[in-house]
Amino acid sequence: MTTSFAPDIPASLRDFAGSLTLVGCGNMAGAMMARWLDLGLAPERVTVVRPSGAAVAEGVRVVTDIAELAPVSGLVLLGFKPQQLADSGPAVARALAPDATVISILAGVALADLEAMFAGHHCIRAMPNMPVREGEGVVLLAGERDAAVDTLMAGLGYNQWLADEAAFDLYSALSGCGPAYLYRVIEAMTGAATRLGLPQDEALAITKAMVRGASGSALRSPLTPGELVAQVASKGGMTQAGLDVLDSDGQLAAIFTDTLRAARDRGKELADAARG
């Protein structure tokens, strides 16, 4: 069961009054932070903890050890690798103020594990995908809803709170991993067109434009994907000839079933690794 909403993306986060601490700032956490800063989040409200001490954005404070910040209040986003939770989690837990809220984007790590590590603190599990950088992402969330978290996540794109966390890894495989699979499809179609004789740059440009238009029409249309396919394909036509290959023996459905299963199962393995 899910509780979903697609909130209006805030025009500005200039009035956001909370504080945000990112423990780790890799690709995903960095994309989230960059989007929030673009929306007007004051850099002085953001602190990043990273061992390298390397700068992340103008005006954002960077420290190498979270102990320097103790006690840490407000929202604390865990942006390191899930396998590092057993080693990094205790230091974070020691530094937290009683009112801190922990947001984890650690793949596969369940709420129960977070609540055990950060006992007494409000914990939220989140899984964004990379299009959050442009405000067109999907963010899955589990845990007790929080108004400040809602405000920040709304700026990243479509949000969905899951009433039942049990299927979180499968949802994550679909929305969190899904962009990479779509990029691979774009790469494959471009490669195929190139092998058949089109210039690579033209093939890529046309494929990107086609995907943009097709995805936009799928979002706007009340029709199912199957009904949209029927609108494009005519019996005995070019499109149908290609569909006959894609649909042969259910190969395409089987490939994506196996793909999502593998990603989901890896999430469970990462959870086991996070528990040490």
Side-chain angles (χ1 to χ4, degrees):
M1 296 293 293
T2 63
T3 301
S4 64
F5 70 106
D8 293 333
I9 295 177
S12 173
L13 288 176
R14 289 186 176 87
D15 295 330
F16 186 82
S19 63
L20 175 64
T21 302
L22 279 68
V23 186
C25 193
N27 291 337
M28 187 63 74
M32 298 168 77
M33 180 190 68
R35 173 61 178 169
W36 289 328
L37 293 174
D38 285 350
L39 287 173
L41 179 64
E44 58 268 23
R45 294 196 174 278
V46 184
T47 302
V48 170
V49 182
R50 60 187 334 195
S52 69
V56 293
E58 184 176 356
V60 173
R61 181 186 179 190
V62 178
V63 300
T64 59
D65 189 337
I66 195 170
E68 298 178 42
L69 307 175
V72 182
S73 297
L75 303 180
V76 179
L77 178 72
L78 306 182
F80 45 80
K81 295 182 184 301
Q83 301 94 320
Q84 297 174 313
L85 179 61
D87 292 331
S88 301
V92 175
R94 289 191 295 269
L96 296 179
D99 64 345
T101 294
V102 176
I103 308 168
S104 166
I105 61 170
L106 310 185
V109 178
L111 275 174
D113 297 319
L114 296 171
E115 291 166 351
M117 177 68 71
F118 307 106
H121 293 282
H122 181 196
C123 295
I124 293 173
R125 184 180 179 186
M127 179 50 63
N129 62 13
M130 285 306 296
V132 296
R133 178 61 186 87
E134 291 77 37
E136 297 181 351
V138 174
V139 185
L140 303 173
L141 299 135
E144 183 180 347
R145 286 181 64 170
D146 178 281
V149 174
D150 273 350
T151 299
L152 284 180
M153 298 302 172
L156 302 179
Y158 176 82
N159 295 186
Q160 182 159 305
W161 287 83
L162 305 183
D164 181 1
E165 190 197 1
F168 200 98
D169 287 332
L170 181 54
Y171 279 103
S172 297
L174 179 60
S175 69
C177 308
Y181 307 147
L182 182 56
Y183 301 150
R184 188 67 89 199
V185 170
I186 293 172
E187 182 181 52
M189 292 188 71
T190 300
T194 300
R195 287 190 295 275
L196 291 172
L198 293 185
Q200 184 176 19
D201 56 344
E202 293 182 15
L204 179 58
I206 290 170
T207 302
K208 285 182 175 180
M210 177 274 295
V211 169
R212 179 180 60 207
S215 61
S217 65
L219 287 170
R220 293 186 296 270
S221 176
L223 301 178
T224 67
E227 291 169 334
L228 290 172
V229 168
Q231 286 190 337
V232 180
S234 57
K235 186 176 181 179
M238 292 173 60
T239 303
Q240 187 59 53
L243 287 171
D244 289 343
V245 176
L246 286 178
D247 297 339
S248 176
D249 297 325
Q251 293 181 84
L252 186 62
I255 286 173
F256 277 105
T257 300
D258 290 344
T259 298
L260 294 182
R261 181 187 295 113
R264 179 202 64 188
D265 293 349
R266 180 57 179 159
K268 296 176 181 177
E269 292 171 359
L270 289 171
D272 291 339
R275 297 186 190 103

